[in-house]
Amino acid sequence: MEGPFGLATIVFALLGFPAGVSGSELTQRAGVQALKFGARLAVPAAAVELNSSPGHHEVRLSDGEVATGRSVIVATGARYRRLDVARLEEFEGGGVYYAATQAEAQLCEDCPVVIVGGGNSAGQAAVFLSDRASECRLLIRGDDVGKSMSRYLVDQIERKCAVEVCTYTEVVELGGERELESLTIADNRTGERTEVPARALFVFIGASPHTEWLQGQLAADPAGFLLTGRDVHGDHLAGYNGSHPLLLETSRPGVFAVGDVHSGSIKRVASAVGEGSMAVRLVHERLADPATAVSPQT
Ligand SMILES: Cc1cc2nc3c(=O)[nH]c(=O)nc-3n(C[C@H](O)[C@H](O)[C@H](O)COP(=O)(O)OP(=O)(O)OC[C@H]3O[C@@H](n4cnc5c(N)ncnc54)[C@H](O)[C@@H]3O)c2cc1C
């Protein structure tokens, strides 16, 4: 697991921080603010177990302490898979990206971009960025993008001649002085290397949520991200006795999930922060609702 300061070297592009802000600085400021509001911090201490009885939850910490409450907000984030290539960290936040939103698209307008990954996130990024970039390459390790991507995205990519799909291809080197300028890509069958221009490299090779400590107690999507609100279906609603989870509430009444750890989240700092504040409001709603006293099954 990443430590509480695991993102310390990453510089975030964030509203109000025109020059970006480092993970450690952001964490430090958040810590001061939390203390100001009367929060008790336990650092470093990992949550290792969640136990619930109706209307009461206990989170056991790695140092043996137990935090108790009538509600829990899970914000344990996710671990992004990164490429195993030299100088990656140097370019993260300045050429290597893990999301393709309007913000990143503006940074590489009319520039050559490369996207790595064969899943739907990579496909969506290719469709989105190909209208804005001067060149757009989609790199996959296998032979067929259709094996792991939804048909509608494959169709769109095939229709867009602006996307060049490079099969059996991997990134082996990043090039550039201060900013990313090029990539060396290699054919993983023959080893043949080619240098291609790239002002931005988008990496979509998967992420895994930090949910191992929950030991499967809460309903999750196939990748392990926690289901919340309307995404909680069927048997997973058992704990609600006919009612439904609130937005951001998991399959267990009173337990909420915000930020990267929840299924379908936007995976941005600002949205994680926004969800955190929404969850606090929803906690009050849950505590005021008699349905809180329902059983804690998933
Ligand atoms: C390389 C990179 C660059 C990025 N750049 C940007 C950017 O420029 N702008 C932007 O908006 N977004 C960016 N993102 C996305 C952004 O980092 C996330 O969307 C955001 O940090 C999610 O916040 P979170 O609170 O949900 O999770 P996190 O920020 O990941 O925080 C979760 C915390 O919980 C801790 N934790 C995990 N398990 C446990 C446990 N069992 N007990 C206790 N603690 C635990 C983790 O160590 C971590 O400190 C980037 C992501 C990456 C990987």
Side-chain angles (χ1 to χ4, degrees):
M1 187 191 76
E2 260 180 4
F5 303 104
L7 296 178
T9 53
I10 296 171
V11 174
F12 294 102
L14 190 62
L15 182 70
F17 296 89
V21 58
S22 73
S24 61
E25 200 186 340
L26 191 64
T27 309
Q28 201 184 6
R29 287 175 182 221
V32 171
Q33 205 166 355
L35 288 172
K36 204 175 128 190
F37 284 111
R40 280 178 54 201
L41 300 185
V43 179
V48 292
E49 203 175 298
L50 171 68
N51 293 304
S52 305
S53 55
H56 178 85
H57 307 277
E58 291 183 352
V59 176
R60 197 161 61 78
L61 306 181
S62 51
D63 61 6
E65 260 207 73
V66 176
T68 59
R70 291 169 63 201
S71 180
V72 174
I73 300 176
V74 178
T76 43
R79 184 184 294 106
Y80 290 79
R81 282 192 205 113
R82 300 162 84 222
L83 291 175
D84 184 16
V85 57
R87 301 185 68 198
L88 184 75
E89 215 167 292
E90 216 180 294
F91 293 116
E92 274 173 339
V96 174
Y97 305 105
Y98 295 85
T101 67
Q102 196 63 36
E104 287 81 17
Q106 276 171 13
L107 293 173
C108 57
E109 188 96 40
D110 294 326
C111 297
V113 306
V114 171
I115 299 153
V116 181
N120 283 352
S121 304
Q124 280 157 358
V127 171
F128 175 60
L129 293 167
S130 60
D131 289 335
R132 291 155 179 86
S134 59
E135 293 170 42
C136 181
R137 290 183 174 81
L138 176 64
L139 273 47
I140 60 166
R141 285 184 301 183
D143 64 335
D144 180 8
V145 76
K147 281 185 181 163
S148 48
M149 197 180 286
S150 296
R151 191 67 238 166
Y152 81 97
L153 282 169
V154 178
D155 290 344
Q156 286 190 49
I157 287 168
E158 282 171 357
R159 274 203 304 274
K160 281 184 181 278
C161 42
V163 182
E164 182 189 342
V165 179
C166 306
T167 54
Y168 296 113
T169 306
E170 294 178 39
V171 177
V172 291
E173 220 173 281
L174 307 181
E177 287 294 319
R178 289 194 178 160
E179 292 182 344
L180 187 68
E181 290 164 20
S182 65
L183 301 177
T184 303
I185 57 177
D187 185 312
N188 59 22
R189 296 161 301 177
T190 62
E192 191 191 346
R193 294 159 76 103
T194 314
E195 192 175 323
V196 295
R199 291 303 297 270
L201 168 65
F202 291 88
V203 183
F204 294 103
I205 53 174
S208 42
H210 290 298
T211 49
E212 56 291 332
W213 66 281
L214 293 165
Q215 298 158 4
Q217 293 186 72
L218 306 179
D221 69 15
F225 290 88
L226 301 178
L227 297 175
T228 56
R230 285 193 202 165
D231 292 336
V232 180
H233 294 294
D235 292 349
H236 296 307
L237 288 171
Y240 284 90
N241 286 342
S243 86
H244 289 271
L246 299 170
L247 188 74
L248 300 175
E249 196 172 26
T250 65
S251 54
R252 180 169 299 178
V255 178
F256 294 78
V258 300
D260 284 7
V261 78
H262 92 79
S263 180
S265 67
I266 303 292
K267 312 282 186 278
R268 309 297 294 163
V269 173
S271 54
V273 171
E275 286 180 3
S277 62
M278 280 162 66
V280 171
R281 158 79 180 69
L282 295 165
V283 163
H284 287 290
E285 203 173 312
R286 171 53 68 209
L287 295 184
D289 184 340
T292 308
V294 295
S295 79
Q297 308 154 359
T298 53

